[in-house]
Amino acid sequence: MKQFISVADIGSLDKAIAEAKEIKNNRFAFTELGRNKTLLMLFFNSSLRTRLSTQKAAMNLGMNVMVLDVNQGAWKLETERGVIMDGDKAEHLLEAIPVMGSYADVIGVRSFAGLRDRDEDYQERVLRQFIELSGRPVFSMEAATRHPLQSFADLITIEEYKETKRPKVVMTWAPHPKALPQAVPNSFAEWMNAADYDFVIANPEGYDLAPEFIGGARVEHDQRKALEGADFVYAKNWSAYNAPNYGKVLRTDRDWTIDAEKMALTNNAYFMHCLPVRRNMIVTDEVIESPRSLVIQEAANREISAQTVLKRLLESL
């Protein structure tokens, strides 16, 4: 595997899950694989779980790790070609990327959507420049349109806790005070469709995701109807995708907050969220603290998804 930016890069999900299980049973079985190899992690945006879990995964594999916060510990970087660089950006990605590639064996990049220009965000220019110019295997630590490490961890978690072969998984929009990108819901939808679960997306009118990410999922604008009989409930906010409202918050009322009354409509479902979560906006205290909440288990599995991906990238060197 030379890159990891979507579910398409992982190949067989059954094999990926089996490999993840092997790694979880013995996290230090492959320490020789990463010996004398260096991982460079680049953060254009903030991180907690991704930073810690990926660094831990690399250490489990025996790798050296370098972490760069681009907007705090480096020159400000220009990303557009043809720009007259007479402002506050002192270095261009066109030079910075091959330089960084010369210091590392594998590169991880985290770069969010700007939520101003849909076409620009969905072209994934920053991530794709690293793939084209670094000369190294590159993986996404969340980009403008996807967060595959999170979705892989979500899949691992569902496989560990599912009580039927083909569970009903509902991803529901929930309110948030700020505009958030579609990366997590896009990616979750992509992976759930690939897993061939009974997958439903519930969101208010105006919040439909891009068709290529909805795929074969059923879209329901009645949240309570969607939740009926669910085995897993994945709550997540996202801003509007469709023009002319791209990146906008269309509603903040708490009619869509996940509470105990809504969870009672399900098949005693497990609750999931990628974290960080706005309590009593996305989900009530009662639900997230319940025995059926998997948010901590999901976060723990971020180490396993990252280690599985890094192992495959190292094997390609």
Side-chain angles (χ1 to χ4, degrees), residues 156-267:
I156 293 168
T157 307
I158 291 172
E159 285 294 307
E160 289 177 333
Y161 285 88
K162 72 180 185 180
E163 296 162 2
T164 61
K165 184 176 181 180
R166 191 171 184 264
K168 179 178 179 181
V169 180
V170 178
M171 179 175 70
T172 177
W173 181 94
H176 193 284
K178 299 171 65 177
L180 298 183
Q182 299 97 33
V184 169
N186 281 348
S187 195
F188 186 76
E190 198 168 53
W191 284 71
M192 294 302 101
N193 282 323
D196 194 32
Y197 295 146
D198 179 8
F199 181 50
V200 180
I201 303 173
N203 57 259
E205 296 279 358
Y207 279 102
D208 287 358
L209 296 172
E212 61 265 32
F213 291 106
I214 293 173
R218 186 167 83 253
V219 177
E220 179 59 67
H221 296 137
D222 182 332
Q223 187 188 42
R224 284 174 169 79
K225 182 179 178 182
L227 292 172
E228 291 175 0
D231 298 298
F232 293 87
V233 174
Y234 196 101
K236 185 70 181 79
N237 175 266
W238 61 88
S239 58
Y241 166 76
N242 289 309
N245 294 317
Y246 176 72
K248 293 182 179 179
V249 175
L250 305 181
R251 58 189 294 175
T252 58
D253 62 86
R254 293 197 288 276
D255 291 347
W256 282 67
T257 299
I258 295 296
D259 57 21
E261 180 263 328
K262 290 177 183 174
M263 291 298 287
L265 300 171
T266 72
N267 183 30

Side-chain angles (χ1 to χ4, degrees), residues 33-254:
L33 192 60
R35 186 178 297 278
N36 298 325
K37 297 292 191 297
T38 299
L39 168 64
L40 173 59
M41 299 166 60
L42 288 140
F43 292 90
F44 289 82
N45 301 95
S46 301
S47 174
L48 188 152
R49 274 149 299 279
T50 298
R51 180 189 297 253
L52 296 179
S53 63
T54 308
Q55 187 165 356
K56 177 64 165 60
M59 292 163 62
N60 293 348
L61 290 167
M63 300 186 77
N64 303 311
V65 182
M66 299 187 295
V67 180
L68 180 63
D69 290 297
V70 174
N71 294 320
Q72 296 179 25
W75 301 112
K76 288 188 177 181
L77 295 173
E78 179 58 63
T79 61
E80 298 296 322
R81 188 184 297 271
V83 172
I84 297 174
M85 292 175 59
D86 58 356
D88 63 344
K89 295 178 179 178
E91 187 162 6
H92 203 289
L93 273 182
L94 293 173
E95 289 78 55
I97 290 174
V99 168
M100 289 186 278
S102 71
Y103 303 146
D105 298 286
V106 179
I107 297 176
V109 181
R110 184 175 179 92
S111 179
F112 291 176
L115 295 181
R116 293 179 297 274
D117 185 321
R118 188 177 73 178
D119 290 342
E120 180 176 328
D121 285 343
Y122 275 67
Q123 288 171 13
E124 296 283 16
R125 290 180 184 173
V126 171
L127 180 60
R128 295 206 174 276
Q129 285 185 83
F130 274 92
I131 292 170
E132 293 167 8
L133 300 173
S134 69
R136 303 298 181 192
V138 172
F139 66 98
S140 170
M141 299 191 298
E142 187 173 356
T145 60
R146 294 177 175 90
H147 193 351
L149 286 176
Q150 178 64 54
S151 301
F152 188 12
D154 295 334
L155 177 64
I156 293 168
T157 307
I158 291 172
E159 285 294 307
E160 289 177 333
Y161 285 88
K162 72 180 185 180
E163 296 162 2
T164 61
K165 184 176 181 180
R166 191 171 184 264
K168 179 178 179 181
V169 180
V170 178
M171 179 175 70
T172 177
W173 181 94
H176 193 284
K178 299 171 65 177
L180 298 183
Q182 299 97 33
V184 169
N186 281 348
S187 195
F188 186 76
E190 198 168 53
W191 284 71
M192 294 302 101
N193 282 323
D196 194 32
Y197 295 146
D198 179 8
F199 181 50
V200 180
I201 303 173
N203 57 259
E205 296 279 358
Y207 279 102
D208 287 358
L209 296 172
E212 61 265 32
F213 291 106
I214 293 173
R218 186 167 83 253
V219 177
E220 179 59 67
H221 296 137
D222 182 332
Q223 187 188 42
R224 284 174 169 79
K225 182 179 178 182
L227 292 172
E228 291 175 0
D231 298 298
F232 293 87
V233 174
Y234 196 101
K236 185 70 181 79
N237 175 266
W238 61 88
S239 58
Y241 166 76
N242 289 309
N245 294 317
Y246 176 72
K248 293 182 179 179
V249 175
L250 305 181
R251 58 189 294 175
T252 58
D253 62 86
R254 293 197 288 276

